[in-house]
Amino acid sequence: EAGVVQSPRYKIIEKKQPVAFWCNPISGHNTLYWYLQNLGQGPELLIRYENEEAVDDSQLPKDRFSAERLKGVDSTLKIQPAELGDSAVYLCASSGLVPNEQFFGPGTRLTVL
Amino acid sequence: TQLLEQSPQFLSIQEGENLTVYCNSSSVFSSLQWYRQEPGEGPVLLVTVVTGGEVKKLKRLTFQFGDARKDSSLHITAAQPGDTGLYLCAGAAVDSNYQLIWGAGTKLIIKP
């Protein structure tokens, strides 16, 4: 069974530029999460989807961040415009029948210069 | 605000030694999970504990959930270099299994 797939693995951009991250969850997992992780810290939830519905986006900075999961499968997280403080690892996770057992992708390491 | 505090933040020991890392909160959790994360990878689930006082073993790793379901410990016996990584605990909020409260992690280095 394939795990959670994320791309790109690394992204370097200049501040004020847009950037997008893509995630394909484990097949059959209805719940998808986007997290932000700073170095040496635990993940911080940005948004949670149940199928195509964003059911928890309270921690998503909506002035510059947006996300979509149009067909309830893969998802895209976008930042526009990026700021220096957005440099971090962006993790995608999915869960299935056991809701709090989350499976993570390898993450996208974003560097904003 | 629910918080999970992990200690120590950093631990570097020699191969073969034993160690224990802790995860503490003032809040009650419906379950608690331990993950290990290696550099450049996402966290990988090691174990989920659900019942107060529960003990689970995974080879040389022993996980315990506190009786009151507010804290947990991870004990590693005879640590090996392959155990090196960031160990994260995450507690499931009582009112929502989807909401995980994450600790900041313990960075463990096992020197050969």
Side-chain angles (χ1 to χ4, degrees), chain B residues 26-71:
Chain B
S26 58
S27 302
V28 177
F29 297 102
S30 61
S31 66
L32 191 138
Q33 301 173 332
W34 285 92
Y35 291 78
R36 181 170 69 210
Q37 185 176 21
E38 299 185 19
E41 299 296 329
V44 175
L45 179 65
L46 297 174
V47 76
T48 301
V49 285
V50 179
T51 306
E54 182 176 4
V55 177
K56 281 191 174 180
K57 292 189 176 183
L58 184 64
K59 297 183 180 179
R60 294 176 293 99
L61 278 60
T62 302
F63 305 86
Q64 184 164 8
F65 202 11
D67 291 342
R69 290 184 291 133
K70 294 182 178 181
D71 53 81

Side-chain angles (χ1 to χ4, degrees), chain B residues 5 7 53 65 70-71 73-74 76-77 79 90 98:
Chain B
E5 294 186 358
S7 61
F65 202 11
K70 294 182 178 181
D71 53 81
S73 64
L74 158 60
I76 301 179
T77 303
Y98 293 95

Side-chain angles (χ1 to χ4, degrees), chain A residues 9 37 40 50 100-102 105, chain B residues 31 33 37 40 42 48 97-98 104:
Chain A
R9 292 294 309 273
Q37 185 177 29
E50 288 295 332
N100 58 10
E101 292 191 347
Q102 299 180 17
Chain B
S31 66
Q33 301 173 332
Q37 185 176 21
T48 301
N97 273 336
Y98 293 95

Side-chain angles (χ1 to χ4, degrees), chain B residues 12-19 60 76-80 83 110:
Chain B
S12 178
I13 62 173
Q14 291 293 137
E15 180 178 3
E17 294 183 5
N18 302 331
L19 67 109
R60 294 176 293 99
I76 301 179
T77 303
Q80 299 178 0
D83 297 326
I110 310 300

Side-chain angles (χ1 to χ4, degrees), chain A residues 5 37 41 47 50 58 60 62 65 84 91-92 99 103 112:
Chain A
V5 179
Q37 185 177 29
Q41 299 294 316
I47 190 168
E50 288 295 332
S58 57
L60 189 72
K62 298 180 184 64
F65 287 65
L84 294 176
L91 293 165
C92 178
F103 296 84
V112 182

